[in-house]
């Protein structure tokens, strides 16, 4: 059973995964790029290689039995989960240390049946399906009272942490609210107490006014280079009107606009940055907050162009070699 341990100084939780307990040599092996030609468990036809599907989208005209090949998108439990779905949290204090069982859900969303198709090669309707899958899995996992936060993220490329070449994203349901999120929640709550407005809504208003850092916008979403970008070409996608969670407007049709914005930004980054490895993360309200006027969901996209080095590790302070205004110009100008 993996364990969650809390750093007693800064209240940061860490997953200690004893089952993944690896000999030192493993890390050298793991650094190798994904082997070409290996049989891929996420390809259509290889459904038996994964745990059974927990959600699937098939073409409208097709009604195949579960775990058969005619699918457009498929969600399965991770075969090598960071956290385990079974068991109680069993919170314990040992002297000054706190720990609990590593209980959680870890799922993999196969975004396409085709091995070589990436998000940028898919129609917007397929990206829209992705958000529908995120919604369905989140709503299902929300029923489990042990979970406090659901993190949805994507690693594209081995440099960005992907261990499978086949385009996929992941979902991890956690029994704690992670530090990065609680920092955002506390920060936006402080801003709200002071000004009585949502800081993200204010960012949307000011960026729309100044027009210096808008990469792309459609009717409902804005893609910007954040003013204090940590990384070159870091991009955030935010709903223009206040929404605390990506479940706030959860009708299928509403996900078209976020899918269009995400797809456009990724295509622009692919062209300007020559298909970079990247991560994206969905920041949304933790489960126990409801109707929050101060928190506003968004997607953070980080192309992996620089490495964290001693200064960043030592300080949590980033040196970004590309001013966000310049990154915006490059991304704005390229046609996709
Ligand atoms: Zn594949
Ligand atoms: Zn807002």
């Amino acid at each position: 059973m993996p364990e969650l341990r809390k750093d007693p100084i800064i209240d940061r939780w860490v997953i200690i995964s004893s089952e993944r307990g690896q000999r030192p040599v493993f890390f050298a092996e793991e650094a190798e790029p994904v082997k070409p030609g290996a049989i891929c468990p996420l390809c259509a036809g290889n459904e038996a290689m994964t745990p059974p599907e927990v959600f699937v989208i098939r073409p409208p005209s097709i009604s195949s039995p579960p775990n058969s090949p005619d699918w457009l998108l498929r969600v399965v439990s991770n075969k090598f989960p960071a956290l385990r779905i079974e068991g109680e949290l069993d919170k314990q204090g040992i002297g000054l240390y706190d720990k609990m069982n590593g209980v959680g859900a870890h799922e993999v969303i196969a975004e396409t049946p085709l091995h070589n198709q990436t998000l940028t090669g898919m129609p917007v309707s397929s990206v829209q399906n992705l958000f529908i899958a995120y919604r369905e899995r989140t709503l299902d996992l929300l029923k489990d009272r042990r979970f406090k936060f659901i993190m949805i993220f994507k690693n594209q490329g081995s440099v960005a942490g992907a261990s499978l070449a086949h385009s996929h994203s992941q979902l991890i349901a956690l029994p704690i609210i992670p530090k990065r999120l609680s920092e955002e929640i506390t920060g936006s709550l402080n801003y709200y107490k002071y000004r009585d407005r949502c800081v993200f809504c204010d960012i949307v208003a000011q960026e729309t006014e100044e027009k210096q850092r808008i990469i792309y916008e459609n009717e409902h979403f804005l893609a910007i280079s954040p003013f204090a970008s940590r990384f070159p070409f870091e991009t955030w996608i935010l709903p223009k009107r206040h929404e605390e969670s990506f479940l706030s407007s959860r009708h299928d049709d509403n996900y078209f606009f976020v899918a269009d914005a995400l797809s456009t930004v990724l295509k622009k980054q692919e062209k300007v940055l020559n298909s970079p490895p990247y991560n994206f993360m969905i920041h949304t309200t933790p489960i126990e907050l409801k109707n929050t006027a101060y928190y506003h969901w968004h997607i953070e996209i980080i192309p992996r162009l620089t490495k964290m080095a001693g200064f960043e590790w030592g300080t949590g302070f980033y040196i970004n070699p590309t001013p966000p205004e310049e990154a915006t110009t490059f991304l704005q100008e390229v046609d996709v």
Side-chain angles (χ1 to χ4, degrees):
M1 185 78 175
E3 250 176 39
L4 283 165
R5 295 188 184 180
K6 190 163 85 174
D7 178 309
I9 306 164
I10 60 168
D11 286 356
R12 176 184 55 211
W13 289 90
V14 173
I15 300 173
I16 307 286
S17 179
S18 50
E19 283 149 76
R20 292 180 160 191
Q22 297 291 353
R23 294 160 292 120
V25 64
F26 169 83
F27 297 100
E29 288 164 6
E30 192 69 349
E32 293 296 315
V34 181
K35 286 190 197 90
I39 296 173
C40 171
L42 300 186
C43 273
N46 296 343
E47 290 75 21
M49 289 177 73
T50 66
E53 64 206 23
V54 289
F55 179 72
V56 71
I57 297 179
R58 298 185 188 280
S61 53
I62 291 185
S63 60
S64 308
N67 302 302
S68 58
D70 300 308
W71 49 272
L72 299 171
L73 174 151
R74 185 169 188 261
V75 185
V76 297
S77 296
N78 193 319
K79 213 170 177 179
F80 306 100
L83 295 163
R84 294 266 162 195
I85 194 78
E86 313 87 16
E88 292 306 313
L89 294 172
D90 194 20
K91 294 180 185 171
Q92 284 181 50
I94 303 164
L96 64 92
Y97 298 125
D98 288 330
K99 68 168 196 171
M100 64 174 98
N101 284 333
V103 171
H106 188 171
E107 299 181 353
V108 175
I109 299 104
E111 296 160 348
T112 164
L114 306 173
H115 192 72
N116 291 318
Q117 189 176 44
T118 58
L119 279 189
T120 49
M122 292 178 203
V124 174
S125 60
S126 302
V127 182
Q128 191 176 356
N129 281 343
L130 198 55
F131 285 89
I132 291 167
Y134 296 160
R135 175 194 67 198
E136 290 303 309
R137 292 310 305 142
T138 301
L139 289 172
D140 187 36
L141 289 162
L142 284 178
K143 293 177 200 150
D144 191 322
R145 309 310 296 176
R146 297 171 302 171
F147 301 148
K148 290 207 171 129
F149 186 74
I150 294 175
M151 182 77 226
I152 294 163
F153 62 99
K154 178 174 172 72
N155 306 331
Q156 172 69 44
S158 56
V159 170
S163 52
L164 289 166
H166 194 119
S167 193
H168 67 286
S169 38
Q170 299 180 62
L171 174 157
I172 296 189
L174 292 162
I176 50 107
I177 296 176
K179 190 167 174 60
R180 177 65 40 85
L181 261 294
S182 60
E183 282 172 353
E184 272 190 4
I185 291 158
T186 309
S188 50
L189 180 58
N190 288 341
Y191 184 95
Y192 187 83
K193 283 183 185 157
Y194 180 57
R195 306 197 195 211
D196 211 20
R197 295 193 306 266
C198 162
V199 61
F200 296 95
C201 284
D202 278 7
I203 291 172
V204 168
Q206 185 165 336
E207 294 297 343
T208 305
E209 174 89 29
E210 289 181 359
K211 296 190 168 41
Q212 282 183 47
R213 283 172 294 271
I214 299 179
I215 294 164
Y216 178 72
E217 64 181 308
N218 61 30
E219 205 177 324
H220 295 301
F221 284 82
L222 191 66
I224 58 164
S225 304
F227 175 74
S229 295
R230 293 158 293 177
F231 305 100
F233 294 88
E234 175 174 348
T235 303
W236 291 7
I237 296 173
L238 307 100
K240 287 182 175 178
R241 64 165 182 214
H242 185 77
E243 283 183 0
E244 56 171 7
S245 157
F246 86 100
L247 299 174
S248 300
S249 309
R250 68 175 79 150
H251 189 276
D252 286 7
D253 293 345
N254 294 335
Y255 292 118
F256 171 82
F257 297 95
V258 66
D260 168 66
L262 178 64
S263 170
T264 305
V265 167
L266 292 176
K267 283 179 187 162
K268 283 173 173 279
Q269 290 185 343
E270 179 174 79
K271 259 197 168 169
V272 170
L273 304 168
N274 193 19
S275 306
Y278 66 85
N279 301 104
F280 75 62
M281 292 76 64
I282 298 184
H283 282 187
T284 184
T285 30
I287 289 154
E288 58 191 20
L289 298 177
K290 293 255 161 64
N291 300 316
T292 53
Y294 59 88
Y295 192 76
H296 191 124
W297 81 278
H298 56 282
I299 305 175
E300 300 189 3
I301 308 165
I302 316 274
R304 297 293 293 270
L305 305 167
T306 49
K307 289 204 167 99
M308 292 267 285
F311 180 70
E312 287 85 356
W313 287 118
T315 58
F317 199 142
Y318 298 88
I319 304 176
N320 178 354
T322 310
E325 295 73 21
E326 279 179 32
T328 305
T329 308
F330 280 115
L331 293 172
Q332 234 176 25
E333 284 174 357
V334 69
D335 284 329
V336 292

